Amino acid sequence: MKKLTTPLDEKTVRSLKAGDQILLSGVIWTGRDQAHKRLVALLDEGKDLPVDLQDQAIYFVGPCPARPGEPIGSAGPTTSGRMDAYSPRLIKDCKLRGMIGKGGRSDAVVDAMKQYGAVYFAAAGGAGALIAQSIKKAEVIAFPDLGPEAIHRLEVEDLPLVVAIDSDGNDLYKR
Amino acid sequence: MTAIKIDTRTPAERLRLIPFDEIVEKTAACCFEAACQLPADVLQAIRSAAEKETSPLGKGFLEQYIENAKIASTHPMPICQDTGFAVFFVEMGEMVKVDGGSIYEAITAGVAKGYKEGFLRKSIVRDPLFGRPNTGDNTPPIIHLTLVPGDKLNVILAPKGGGSENMSALKMLKPSDGRDGVVKFVTETVISAGGNPCPPTVVGVGIGGTFEKAAFLAKKALLRKLGEPNPQKEYAELEQEILAKINASGVGPQGLGGDITSFAVHIEQFPCHIASLPVTVNLNCHAARHAGFEL
């Protein structure tokens, strides 16, 4: 297990190899397809994004509502393939360095990861209760109308991840 | 001589009334239980897979699922943030009358209450194409209602997550495609789904019937106790053959490689048209959740 803390610079990201087991700490941002669609629309319009994604990581998750007194509800990864249409743009234009989800990615995403330096982590899909224990704080920072799909700022401690696709294009989903 | 007992009650008097609110409460509790308590047979399948899995990454994921089930059950907190579309299989005795509304209304009200009060995620949009506004209470549920003899009400809830549902497939095979065609279609569907449906999966297969009946069969197959074989020998053998082919693929837990891609293949078959051979595959993630009640 390798410990890693955000923000993630290009050098750090390029040093990660497919198969590495990671415990990630620091601030990460949530986003699913609806949030990604809006982010890319803002880029198209030349407007500022609600969060600066440079050297940041996005976690593809739509959590359960938090019970009173708790930071978040169950919060495992969703299928990353639904973000494939948007991720290359965020990697290229915003220097997004990390994505966290489940399932394989398209060639276009992997190409962008190789070219600009980004990494794709797999979290344990269907282990939302376990993952929630690593999330210490959560707040909505953009698109609250999207409910569970709003962009949240998460503070995580030792979030268990696997490097599924590295910045050289090594891909554990391809056999 | 045995005396013949004649029931002198009128049909109306023979009806058994079940209060509307009782169904609402039971349904709400059922939603929460299904979300947080992994059924014992599923947990056992994960444990035994964790022992057998030779890929260290795969084994690591399976161990996380065991720990996750424990946290979910004791906290309590949903096993998965995708608390699913609420899919119900209801067997209603023909002598049952819901007192105060319809069975559909009672179950729908129970889902709204259970998802709201249980802090479960609301994952249903009112319109599939335009705007996709969230209904806010996870309604409507999908209710498969069957009328049966008697005066009991049996309700099973199988909440269905989007990740595994999205990897499901249907194909109208030619009868000449036969057994080999079924093996090929099911195996390819599961393997090409890769890590998306959160493997190890349970593979529900429907063979026969019509277009919509076959889909229903595949979903119903997911309710069977995990790994219990089809009662008909040829189908039980087919289940084992497909499972072996799937697990030889190396997709593994979460699609990152390993020996265990699926826990079980469950086939349900039905008579079909002389011209047809419908085959459906409905995948369930490793968190194969269900709960139920009888009144």
Side-chain angles (χ1 to χ4, degrees):
Chain A
M1 289 276 182
K2 198 183 277 184
K3 291 224 181 200
L4 208 59
T5 305
T6 61
L8 304 170
D9 59 27
E10 185 174 355
K11 191 169 163 248
T12 307
V13 159
R14 294 234 183 243
S15 74
L16 298 173
K17 296 294 158 221
D20 286 353
Q21 290 174 278
I22 303 289
L23 292 172
L24 185 71
S25 298
V27 171
I28 60 173
W29 310 88
T30 73
R32 291 171 46 109
D33 14 347
Q34 290 304 313
H36 274 74
K37 195 176 167 185
R38 291 192 190 181
L39 291 176
V40 168
L42 288 172
L43 289 176
D44 285 342
E45 293 163 19
K47 292 184 179 156
D48 286 342
L49 301 191
V51 47
D52 181 0
L53 291 173
Q54 179 163 0
D55 296 343
Q56 302 296 308
I58 294 188
Y59 181 20
F60 307 142
V61 59
C64 280
R67 286 179 174 278
E70 294 187 354
I72 202 163
S74 191
T78 194
T79 308
S80 309
R82 293 200 316 278
M83 272 54 77
D84 283 357
Y86 311 108
S87 292
R89 187 74 189 279
L90 300 185
I91 294 168
K92 178 173 177 272
D93 289 8
C94 308
K95 299 194 170 51
L96 174 74
R97 298 284 176 211
M99 296 164 287
I100 305 167
K102 69 170 172 93
R105 308 303 305 270
S106 69
D107 291 345
V109 175
V110 179
D111 287 346
M113 288 166 56
K114 282 158 68 176
Q115 190 174 350
Y116 302 101
V119 66
Y120 172 59
F121 302 100
L130 176 73
I131 290 171
Q133 308 311 305
S134 301
I135 301 171
K136 302 303 169 190
K137 207 174 156 194
E139 59 178 321
V140 173
I141 60 111
F143 315 142
D145 58 300
L146 292 179
E149 299 200 55
I151 295 185
H152 294 64
R153 176 186 184 276
L154 303 183
E155 287 178 24
V156 299
E157 225 175 84
D158 292 341
L159 180 66
L161 304 172
V162 173
V163 175
I165 309 175
D166 65 28
S167 59
D168 293 325
N170 298 307
D171 184 344
L172 295 188
Y173 297 100
K174 294 213 168 113
R175 269 173 305 277
Chain B
M1 239 177 86
T2 325
I4 298 166
K5 226 172 127 186
I6 296 167
D7 193 340
T8 56
R9 293 175 301 171
T10 65
E13 285 167 344
R14 268 181 271 166
L15 286 180
R16 176 173 169 238
L17 293 179
I18 299 181
F20 184 88
D21 288 347
E22 195 174 347
I23 299 171
V24 174
E25 293 300 326
K26 289 273 189 192
T27 301
C30 194
C31 292
F32 190 69
E33 187 193 333
C36 302
Q37 305 288 337
L38 196 63
D41 57 336
V42 180
L43 188 54
Q44 188 46 48
I46 298 174
R47 284 206 176 104
S48 113
E51 280 169 25
K52 282 185 228 154
E53 180 59 64
T54 58
S55 144
L57 283 183
K59 202 182 182 69
F61 281 123
L62 292 161
E63 281 163 358
Q64 286 189 38
Y65 303 154
I66 296 168
E67 180 64 17
N68 183 64
K70 198 167 114 190
I71 295 168
S73 147
T74 51
H75 197 88
M77 183 183 245
I79 296 160
C80 176
Q81 75 292 338
D82 186 351
T83 46
F85 213 135
V87 180
F88 288 88
F89 294 82
V90 180
E91 286 185 346
M92 188 158 150
E94 48 197 10
M95 302 314 290
V96 169
K97 169 86 184 84
V98 179
D99 192 8
S102 76
I103 183 70
Y104 293 102
E105 289 164 339
I107 288 175
T108 302
V111 168
K113 186 179 162 70
Y115 275 72
K116 186 165 176 281
E117 294 177 0
F119 293 87
L120 309 185
R121 198 181 78 183
K122 289 79 182 171
S123 311
I124 308 303
V125 293
R126 188 170 309 287
D127 188 288
L129 201 50
F130 299 108
R132 293 178 67 89
N134 197 298
T135 63
D137 59 6
N138 218 57
T139 66
I142 304 282
I143 302 173
H144 299 293
L145 181 62
T146 314
L147 207 55
V148 297
D151 63 356
K152 296 271 194 290
L153 177 68
N154 188 283
V155 177
I156 294 171
L157 162 63
K160 195 65 173 66
S164 57
E165 191 74 355
N166 286 347
M167 296 297 116
S168 302
L170 180 149
K171 196 167 183 184
M172 304 304 280
L173 296 183
K174 294 184 189 77
S176 62
D177 292 329
R179 191 181 189 279
D180 290 350
V182 172
V183 172
K184 187 168 183 281
F185 173 60
V186 177
T187 309
E188 282 177 1
T189 300
V190 179
I191 295 173
S192 69
N196 291 350
C198 277
T201 47
V202 183
V203 184
V205 178
I207 305 177
T210 49
F211 179 78
E212 84 287 6
K213 176 74 178 181
F216 176 78
L217 291 172
K219 177 127 294 170
K220 199 178 154 210
L222 296 174
L223 294 181
R224 196 192 300 165
K225 189 165 180 269
L226 204 49
E228 199 174 270
N230 185 297
Q232 202 170 315
K233 191 166 162 275
E234 297 94 321
Y235 284 99
E237 286 169 1
L238 188 55
E239 289 174 343
Q240 286 309 313
E241 183 182 328
I242 296 172
L243 181 63
K245 281 206 157 69
I246 290 169
N247 284 337
S249 69
V251 169
Q254 289 297 315
L256 294 177
D259 313 308
I260 321 276
T261 303
S262 295
F263 294 129
V265 175
H266 292 171
I267 298 174
E268 292 283 317
Q269 74 277 17
F270 197 79
C272 75
H273 192 280
I274 49 173
S276 306
L277 178 54
V279 182
T280 54
V281 181
N282 194 206
L283 291 175
N284 210 116
C285 59
H286 61 82
R289 297 159 288 181
H290 42 86
F293 62 90
E294 192 177 74
L295 290 173

